[in-house]
Amino acid sequence: MCRRQSLNVASINAVTDEVTPGDTMNGISCQEDITTWQEWFVAALAVCLTFCGCSCGSRSKADTTLRESGERWVLVVEYMTPREKEGPPKENWIGTLQLPDGTLARLVDVPIKTPDGGKALFVAATYNNDRRVLICASQTVSGLPICDDVWRYDLATGQTRWIAKGKWNKTRGFAWSPDGSKVSFVASIRGEPAAFVMQYDLDADRLERVAGNAFGNRDDPQEGDSSVRPRRPVYSEDGKWLYYVSMDQHVMRVDLRTKHCEQLPISGAIVVLTVKGEHLVYARQVGDRSDWEFEIVKVRLDALDGSVGEQVLHAADGVIWENFVSPSRRFVLLTSRAGYGSMTSLINVDKGASLRAEGLLTNEGFRPHSVAWVSRAP
């Protein structure tokens, strides 16, 4: 099935600069003997479909890879119909997107009712499918400063209750523990030099800070700067450890049983993507900040300094915009932006390969928020 795509302007421009008369691309000849407007139209349409991912381009390779692997996972998305002149969109709701088949399911309409009876228009969310619990975060104005409030919405009963209200100016990066009983996220306070990793326990209805120190313990070289970059944290497969990146771009690891935090020998990090088996996968900056280049790197947990078995899985220009990891942790969907264009890649962690995968996430009308927790993927 062909999905409508947002045009990647940077990619199209780069491609058209390389095509010259006499070249052949995907079976379409660029010879100057195409003289009729009908032939020009067919040729142009074929090229556009190829590079927008609506034909037999690289998107289908990503789809095929996922289908052959048997991998299924569910993203939490916000859907919105295009606005017509002034006024609200005709449809705006929070739902789920199944990958790789692209099935959308509606969960709750926006605006969402908050525990105090208000209405939240701009919502970031994550979802526990088994418990039918939606965790929401939205900016609300109840005096100054403007805060990001976090609350719980039980879809089965329609009940809502606050997790935190008026505490932070920004929340992001929701991630579920492997058993689905806890959800962690990054929260920052206006005027503070750092962010914190928070964890909410659904069973105990308890919120706690598990990582983050506004200034870091500079007297302890092992702990270093434990302040948090605003990126999604990552649980270990057994749920005992939580990984994140500090403000000084080191990978940090927290023992969730003792809350002890340690700095790992990885610097220049942007975000930890996943931990699978004996490996950790993360993104690191290449060159100085002006270059805007990054690499996705897999290292062994017993040789985190890269001295043994380091493998570069993917490299690209631009900045990492969003990342989503499959339930088996075999695949990472990564969206990056460079200039006016964007690129989505499917990275196979086991095989060390990457494919272009715009068609999986760049559908018109919705944007992904997080990975939903599902005990058994559909």
Side-chain angles (χ1 to χ4, degrees):
M1 180 179 67
C2 178
R3 298 186 179 98
R4 297 179 64 185
Q5 310 294 320
S6 298
L7 202 62
N8 185 336
V9 177
S11 297
I12 295 296
N13 288 342
V15 169
T16 53
D17 287 343
E18 295 176 359
V19 176
T20 57
D23 289 343
T24 299
M25 184 171 294
N26 293 321
I28 301 171
S29 174
C30 297
Q31 294 285 354
E32 295 180 348
D33 60 355
I34 302 178
T35 56
T36 67
W37 70 268
Q38 293 98 335
E39 289 173 310
W40 275 111
F41 176 78
V42 171
L45 179 62
V47 172
C48 287
L49 287 174
T50 297
F51 292 103
C52 291
C54 290
S55 143
C56 53
S58 57
R59 180 186 65 83
S60 62
K61 293 180 181 179
D63 280 349
T64 300
T65 297
L66 289 181
R67 293 179 189 279
E68 290 179 348
S69 71
E71 186 74 78
R72 299 288 186 273
W73 82 91
V74 180
L75 301 183
V76 181
V77 300
E78 180 180 5
Y79 177 81
M80 182 183 296
T81 53
R83 296 176 182 268
E84 295 181 0
K85 297 181 180 180
E86 300 297 329
K90 289 183 177 180
E91 289 186 51
N92 189 192
W93 43 267
I94 300 295
T96 58
L97 170 70
Q98 294 181 21
L99 295 178
D101 61 15
T103 302
L104 282 167
R106 191 174 190 145
L107 291 176
V108 60
D109 289 341
V110 176
I112 300 176
K113 186 178 180 180
T114 59
D116 59 2
K119 292 183 177 180
L121 291 174
F122 303 100
V123 176
T126 193
Y127 182 58
N128 186 308
N129 183 76
D130 290 40
R131 302 185 186 215
R132 297 200 65 206
V133 171
L134 192 67
I135 306 295
C136 306
S138 176
Q139 282 199 340
T140 57
V141 182
S142 54
L144 293 175
I146 298 174
C147 296
D148 256 17
D149 296 329
V150 183
W151 74 98
R152 169 178 176 164
Y153 184 1
D154 290 84
L155 298 182
T157 64
Q159 294 181 346
T160 60
R161 59 180 178 272
W162 293 115
I163 295 175
K165 180 173 174 59
K167 289 183 176 293
W168 309 294
N169 75 302
K170 195 71 175 178
T171 55
R172 69 199 82 186
F174 290 98
W176 289 100
S177 63
D179 65 358
S181 67
K182 302 175 182 67
V183 60
S184 67
F185 57 94
V186 175
S188 59
I189 302 173
R190 187 181 300 275
E192 295 286 346
F196 308 94
V197 178
M198 310 300 298
Q199 181 176 257
Y200 174 67
D201 188 318
L202 273 70
D203 295 326
D205 191 25
R206 183 180 67 247
L207 180 70
E208 62 177 340
R209 191 178 82 179
V210 297
N213 183 332
F215 303 100
N217 186 355
R218 303 294 178 148
D219 296 329
D220 186 344
Q222 183 183 25
E223 183 173 328
D225 181 2
S226 63
S227 55
V228 182
R229 286 175 64 85
R231 295 285 189 173
R232 180 176 289 113
V234 173
Y235 285 93
S236 61
E237 290 179 292
D238 59 10
K240 296 178 180 179
W241 302 87
L242 194 69
Y243 295 80
Y244 70 94
V245 175
S246 66
M247 288 296 289
D248 62 356
Q249 294 189 291
H250 282 89
V251 173
M252 311 294 292
R253 179 170 62 187
V254 181
D255 187 333
L256 293 174
R257 297 157 294 184
T258 64
K259 303 301 185 292
H260 174 70
C261 180
E262 64 176 321
Q263 178 181 293
L264 302 181
I266 300 176
S267 60
I270 302 171
V271 59
V272 177
L273 296 175
T274 190
V275 177
K276 184 178 186 297
E278 62 183 9
H279 292 97
L280 179 143
V281 180
Y282 74 101
R284 69 184 176 197
Q285 183 176 316
V286 178
D288 59 36
R289 191 174 178 84
S290 62
D291 292 334
W292 296 112
E293 297 178 8
F294 67 89
E295 293 177 337
I296 306 302
V297 184
K298 181 167 73 171
V299 294
R300 290 170 51 126
L301 287 169
D302 59 356
L304 291 171
D305 59 358
S307 58
V308 179
E310 179 179 295
Q311 182 181 8
V312 176
L313 307 181
H314 178 75
D317 296 333
V319 295
I320 295 175
W321 192 254
E322 191 54 277
N323 57 276
F324 305 99
V325 179
S326 68
S328 69
R329 306 189 182 212
R330 286 181 294 174
F331 297 98
V332 176
L333 270 172
L334 187 77
T335 300
S336 59
R337 293 188 177 184
Y340 294 103
S342 65
M343 180 173 71
T344 300
S345 302
L346 178 69
I347 300 170
N348 188 321
V349 173
D350 291 341
K351 295 185 177 180
S354 65
L355 294 168
R356 292 289 295 270
E358 272 72 14
L360 293 175
L361 292 184
T362 321
N363 294 49
E364 183 177 351
F366 76 82
R367 66 185 183 92
H369 284 290
S370 60
V371 177
W373 192 86
V374 181
S375 61
R376 186 173 182 178

